[in-house]
Amino acid sequence: MSFARSVTSLSPRSRLPMLDRYVLRQLLLALVATTGGLSALIWLTQSLRFVSLVVERGLSLRVFIGLTGLLVPSFVAVILPITTFVVVQFVYQRLAGDRELTVMRAAGLSPFFIARPGLACTGLSVAACFLLNLWIVPMSYHAFRQYEFQIRNRMAAFMLQEGVFTPVSDTMTVYIRSRDRDGTLHGIMVEDDRQPASQATILAEHGTMLVIDNQPRVVLFNGSREEIDRKTGRLNVLTFQRNTIDLTSSRGDQARFRDATELSLHELLHPNPQEVPERDRGKFAVEAWRRLTSPFTAFSFAMIGLLSVLRGAFSRHGSILRPAVAIMSVVGLLALSLLVQNLASRTPGLIPLMWVEAILPGVVCAAVLFLPEWRCARQRHAGLPGAMGPSRP
């Protein structure tokens, strides 16, 4: 019971900073460890979707990690409110199990002062969520989409392997027999299916890779273009001494439309009519308001955890009911959030419900937990008789 002796031996004025640092340190360490561990686990599962880029297009491990690493901020933004609840619930439940909360109450600390470290940790989580949602995630996801587009449509053309049929796109396959040190390609065959009505096979003795207008192209020398006429069934052969082929899949693939996740808040609230059709503006508005409301779910989830631990009578043997109710409440709020966002995307008039769903649970829990204490404090300040309540340092 060294903790109890250290607390009770201090003066009331010096207890609070020490207790705040003691609990806050545990909360922040647990929050960083839990969020980092879950983010790494989600990254491992989600990065499997991009293994095909390594297997089929011969990308290096460094490119693979650089590409998938750009998704990590979006994972952190999603799980941070949940890990905040888990950490607050776990740390305060452990304090209660170790009788440290009992010592704090015996020392005269009210629920608000006991909850102060949890509120400070929650405030940092809310600020981090705002930073992620409004700046880091749109920027990193935009870089991810750009990088992925570059790999699929440009970089893969430079990953041609000798003696291997390399699919540089969904509609084009390239084979080379050998490659010199200076980049000259020998024994080239290109299966070009970009135009279904005129699929062609192109053969060339040698060629070289170039980048023209930021697009990969191959210059072929001494070759032929073979194409079957669908109407007559004849094989048309066109010989050439020099020919240039664009290795992107089609002209339509050279332009990339931005996703709502990579747009800024201003672009979501004021979309460009030429880029965003009328039917999608509701989804863009919901994405904008989701970025503004989701950080407050960290506050609501943390308040649910604090209420489940600090409210109610102390049980020597612990209670599984209150943590279970808190967990089910958070799960229910997550499901409700998805439902409200889905309805708001169809009916923009329901967007204010997103604010209610994000903030109201935390406000209600704070009122239930702290309002009796604040009423007693006001009564003592007014000098009303019979105003009894927990003493405050």
Side-chain angles (χ1 to χ4, degrees):
M1 296 295 293
S2 60
F3 174 79
R5 288 195 297 268
S6 63
V7 170
T8 54
S9 62
L10 295 175
S11 63
R13 188 175 298 275
S14 60
R15 291 173 192 165
L16 292 178
M18 186 192 72
L19 292 176
D20 288 345
R21 290 194 299 269
Y22 172 75
V23 179
L24 184 60
R25 185 187 310 112
Q26 298 184 56
L27 289 169
L28 293 180
L29 291 177
L31 182 63
V32 172
T34 305
T35 305
L38 287 179
S39 299
L41 179 62
I42 297 175
W43 174 78
L44 286 174
T45 58
Q46 294 297 314
S47 62
L48 295 178
R49 297 184 300 152
F50 304 97
V51 172
S52 60
L53 293 177
V54 178
V55 176
E56 297 177 2
R57 307 206 175 186
L59 300 183
S60 64
L61 182 61
R62 179 184 62 83
V63 174
F64 172 75
I65 294 177
L67 174 66
T68 56
L70 294 173
L71 293 174
V72 173
S74 61
F75 302 153
V76 176
V78 172
I79 68 174
L80 188 55
I82 302 174
T83 55
T84 301
F85 162 75
V86 172
V87 166
V88 169
Q89 178 75 35
F90 172 77
V91 170
Y92 276 87
Q93 200 70 40
R94 190 192 62 78
L95 292 175
D98 293 343
R99 307 295 188 268
E100 295 180 0
L101 287 185
T102 305
V103 174
M104 295 180 189
R105 287 168 174 164
L109 298 183
S110 63
F112 174 75
F113 284 95
I114 296 176
R116 273 201 325 188
L119 295 176
C121 179
T122 302
L124 294 176
S125 296
V126 171
C129 285
F130 271 115
L131 184 64
L132 288 166
N133 287 347
L134 299 182
W135 181 50
I136 297 179
V137 171
M139 182 180 62
S140 65
Y141 192 74
H142 176 70
F144 164 77
R145 291 291 303 275
Q146 287 283 83
Y147 202 6
E148 183 187 25
F149 179 79
Q150 182 183 11
I151 290 173
R152 293 187 184 277
N153 295 280
R154 300 170 190 171
M155 287 183 59
F158 295 91
M159 302 297 178
L160 302 178
Q161 303 179 29
E162 298 179 3
V164 176
F165 289 89
T166 304
V168 297
S169 68
D170 296 335
T171 56
M172 182 176 292
T173 302
V174 178
Y175 173 88
I176 60 171
R177 185 179 64 247
S178 61
R179 183 202 299 264
D180 293 340
R181 291 183 178 272
D182 60 358
T184 303
L185 310 176
H186 298 276
I188 305 171
M189 185 187 76
V190 179
E191 184 67 25
D192 187 359
D193 299 335
R194 290 177 293 182
Q195 299 180 3
S198 59
Q199 299 177 353
T201 300
I202 304 170
L203 304 174
E205 293 182 1
H206 63 278
T208 183
M209 297 291 302
L210 297 175
V211 177
I212 302 176
D213 296 330
N214 205 24
Q215 298 295 333
R217 303 187 183 186
V218 58
V219 181
L220 305 177
F221 300 94
N222 302 329
S224 64
R225 177 184 176 93
E226 302 177 0
E227 181 179 334
I228 296 178
D229 191 335
R230 296 278 181 112
K231 296 181 180 180
T232 62
R234 295 179 54 185
L235 176 64
N236 299 325
V237 179
L238 175 66
T239 61
F240 58 84
Q241 292 184 344
R242 177 188 173 98
N243 188 20
T244 302
I245 299 179
D246 184 1
L247 293 184
T248 54
S249 58
S250 67
R251 288 292 176 185
D253 287 340
Q254 295 180 15
R256 187 184 70 82
F257 295 98
R258 292 187 297 169
D259 188 80
T261 309
E262 55 185 317
L263 296 179
S264 66
L265 186 64
H266 181 269
E267 290 173 323
L268 291 173
L269 295 176
H270 305 88
N272 187 351
Q274 297 179 354
E275 297 181 359
V276 181
E278 184 68 27
R279 66 178 183 274
D280 293 336
R281 294 188 179 182
K283 297 179 181 179
F284 279 59
V286 169
E287 171 64 20
W289 293 112
R290 185 200 64 80
R291 295 184 188 179
L292 294 173
T293 58
S294 60
F296 292 104
T297 59
F299 165 72
S300 294
F301 292 172
M303 288 308 307
I304 292 175
L306 289 173
L307 180 65
S308 67
V309 178
L310 300 182
R311 185 69 173 175
F314 169 74
S315 176
R316 181 184 299 272
H317 303 287
S319 175
I320 194 63
L321 179 60
R322 283 185 289 178
V325 171
I327 294 173
M328 295 305 298
S329 300
V330 170
V331 173
L333 287 176
L334 290 172
L336 180 62
S337 175
L338 295 177
L339 176 62
V340 170
Q341 292 178 23
N342 188 23
L343 294 176
S345 63
R346 301 176 183 178
T347 308
L350 298 178
I351 287 179
L353 291 180
M354 298 175 61
W355 289 95
V356 175
E357 180 274 332
I359 299 177
L360 184 60
V363 174
V364 171
C365 291
V368 173
L369 185 59
F370 303 135
L371 193 58
E373 173 191 349
W374 292 339
R375 286 178 177 175
C376 292
R378 289 173 57 186
Q379 291 177 359
R380 284 197 302 268
H381 182 72
L384 297 179
M388 300 296 294
S391 59
R392 294 192 342 188

